[in-house]
């Protein structure tokens, strides 16, 4: 033994590639995030690129370009992403707007006081230190709604596909259940131990002028469904997610939502962030240190 005694739960994290910490946050902390997002949604305007009417091929391409620019430049902003089929061609809501939204990203941790406070709270910083993170920086955050009945599935993936670092193994996800996450409403599923084989696919920025804003290099293998285990977790629970562990969530077929707040941290010490990642730090928002 190297003399550094790891808490038993961290051994579990390194073995499985994920760790469940029940009741990490209080009900009050969860409710403060939910209330804050409610007021953000209440003031939300539909983005202009969602408002154009499709008619010609050319306009469809402009629309797609608008969507991709909106996504690519969302790293240092608070922006809105919708479930499929909730807006008509003019960009009007077909269902109540608070039920139409899929997620809000990607800089809540930087620009919203409630989410900033949670991201940098002493419990999270302490956990970072227990994990041995020396210079952790926050790269992005998202509020995920997983709406009742329409909250879409998230297919099996590794976070490092989207957030690539050299070396690998420097990305860590913090996933906070703001409501109970159950098998019925779309909890996370993991393949334990799948974080040790590297990654097979990367999402990179496409060359300028390409028809899409990002493209995939490599391919996602066919995962064996029977290897996934569900991770139901109650409100306030935290799931730590290794950047290379394979995970997914199913369609929410229940009548209750499954709100979650999630953010990703990179160990910046001796690490380089890929220039090809869709997400890039900007002069307005360099990646902030997790430790304050």
């Amino acid at each position: 033994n190297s003399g550094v005694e790891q808490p038993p739960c961290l051994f579990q994290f390194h073995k499985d590639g994920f760790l469940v910490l029940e009741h990490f946050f209080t009900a009050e902390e969860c409710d403060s995030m939910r209330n804050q997002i409610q007021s953000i949604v209440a003031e939300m305007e539909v983005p202009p690129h969602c408002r154009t009417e499709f008619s010609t091929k050319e306009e469809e391409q402009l629309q797609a370009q608008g969507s991709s620019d909106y996504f690519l430049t969302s790293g240092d902003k608070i922006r809105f992403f919708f479930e499929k089929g909730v807006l008509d061609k003019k960009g009007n809501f077909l269902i109540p707007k608070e039920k139409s939204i899929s997620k809000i990203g990607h800089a809540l941790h930087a620009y919203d006081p409630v989410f900033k406070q949670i991201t940098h709270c002493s419990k999270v910083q302490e956990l970072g230190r227990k994990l041995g993170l020396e210079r952790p920086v926050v790269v992005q955050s998202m509020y995920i709604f997983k709406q009742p009945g329409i909250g879409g599935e998230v297919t099996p993936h590794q976070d490092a596909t989207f957030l690539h670092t050299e070396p690998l193994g420097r990305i860590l996800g913090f996933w906070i259940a703001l409501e109970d996450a159950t098998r019925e409403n779309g909890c996370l599923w993991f393949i334990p131990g799948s974080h040790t084989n590297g990654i097979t696919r990367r999402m990179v920025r496409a060359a300028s002028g390409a028809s899409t804003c990002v493209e995939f290099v490599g391919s996602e293998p066919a995962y064996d469904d029977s290897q996934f285990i569900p991770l139901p977790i109650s409100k306030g629970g935290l799931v730590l997610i290794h950047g290379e562990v394979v995970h997914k969530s199913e369609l929410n077929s229940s009548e209750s939502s499954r709100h979650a707040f999630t953010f990703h941290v990179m160990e910046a010490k001796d690490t380089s962030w890929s220039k090809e990642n869709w997400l890039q730090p900007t002069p307005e928002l360099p990646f902030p240190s997790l430790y304050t």
Side-chain angles (χ1 to χ4, degrees), residues 93-124:
F93 290 107
L94 297 167
I95 59 174
K97 70 174 180 177
E98 64 281 0
K99 295 262 192 285
S100 68
I101 190 157
S102 158
K103 60 185 191 187
I104 297 179
H106 288 91
L108 286 160
H109 63 280
Y111 296 129
D112 181 89
V114 172
F115 291 99
K116 184 176 195 170
Q117 198 270 317
I118 293 285
T119 303
H120 297 277
C121 70
S122 53
K123 298 185 269 210
V124 167

Side-chain angles (χ1 to χ4, degrees), residues 6-217:
Q6 283 212 330
C9 66
L10 293 188
F11 166 76
Q12 201 62 41
F13 173 70
H14 293 299
K15 178 171 167 284
D16 292 335
F18 59 87
L19 180 65
V20 175
L21 299 168
E22 285 279 10
H23 309 298
F24 191 86
F25 290 95
T26 63
E28 292 72 34
E29 287 170 316
C30 293
D31 293 343
S32 73
M33 289 187 265
R34 292 196 58 189
N35 293 335
Q36 186 69 352
I37 219 73
Q38 222 174 336
S39 55
I40 290 174
V41 171
E43 291 170 19
M44 160 183 89
E45 293 292 322
V46 178
H49 73 86
C50 297
R51 285 202 173 279
T52 48
E53 281 190 73
F54 291 159
S55 53
T56 66
K57 259 284 184 269
E58 202 170 303
E59 279 165 4
E60 277 188 45
Q61 282 171 343
L62 284 173
Q63 166 99 1
Q65 190 57 49
S67 301
S68 59
D69 290 345
Y70 186 78
F71 166 70
L72 276 187
T73 55
S74 66
D76 60 355
K77 298 179 190 69
I78 294 176
R79 288 196 162 167
F80 305 97
F81 301 90
F82 300 94
E83 288 292 354
K84 289 187 177 73
V86 298
L87 296 162
D88 68 15
K89 288 184 172 177
K90 295 192 175 82
N92 298 318
F93 290 107
L94 297 167
I95 59 174
K97 70 174 180 177
E98 64 281 0
K99 295 262 192 285
S100 68
I101 190 157
S102 158
K103 60 185 191 187
I104 297 179
H106 288 91
L108 286 160
H109 63 280
Y111 296 129
D112 181 89
V114 172
F115 291 99
K116 184 176 195 170
Q117 198 270 317
I118 293 285
T119 303
H120 297 277
C121 70
S122 53
K123 298 185 269 210
V124 167
Q125 296 192 11
E126 199 177 311
L127 182 55
R129 293 198 166 92
K130 275 188 186 149
L131 287 159
L133 300 175
E134 291 185 54
R135 278 183 38 218
V137 297
V138 186
V139 298
Q140 65 130 351
S141 57
M142 268 190 300
Y143 191 104
I144 304 168
F145 293 81
K146 201 72 156 175
Q147 302 283 5
I150 58 168
E153 65 166 336
V154 177
T155 54
H157 67 284
Q158 298 165 292
D159 292 342
T161 285
F162 306 95
L163 308 170
H164 192 265
T165 60
E166 299 276 335
L168 281 174
R170 299 300 169 88
I171 288 289
L172 176 65
F174 289 72
W175 192 97
I176 305 158
L178 304 184
E179 302 179 277
D180 294 351
T182 63
R183 288 183 66 155
E184 292 68 44
N185 73 1
C187 69
L188 298 172
W189 294 66
F190 286 82
I191 300 182
S194 57
H195 60 304
T196 56
N197 305 323
I199 59 171
T200 57
R201 187 173 72 131
R202 281 181 61 188
M203 184 171 95
V204 299
R205 283 181 171 243
S208 59
S211 58
T212 54
C213 62
V214 292
E215 54 197 14
F216 286 96
V217 178

Side-chain angles (χ1 to χ4, degrees), residues 153 156 189-192 222-230 248 250:
E153 65 166 336
W189 294 66
F190 286 82
I191 300 182
Y223 295 110
D224 174 358
D225 262 356
S226 66
Q227 292 191 307
F228 283 92
I229 63 160
K248 66 173 183 177
E250 305 288 349

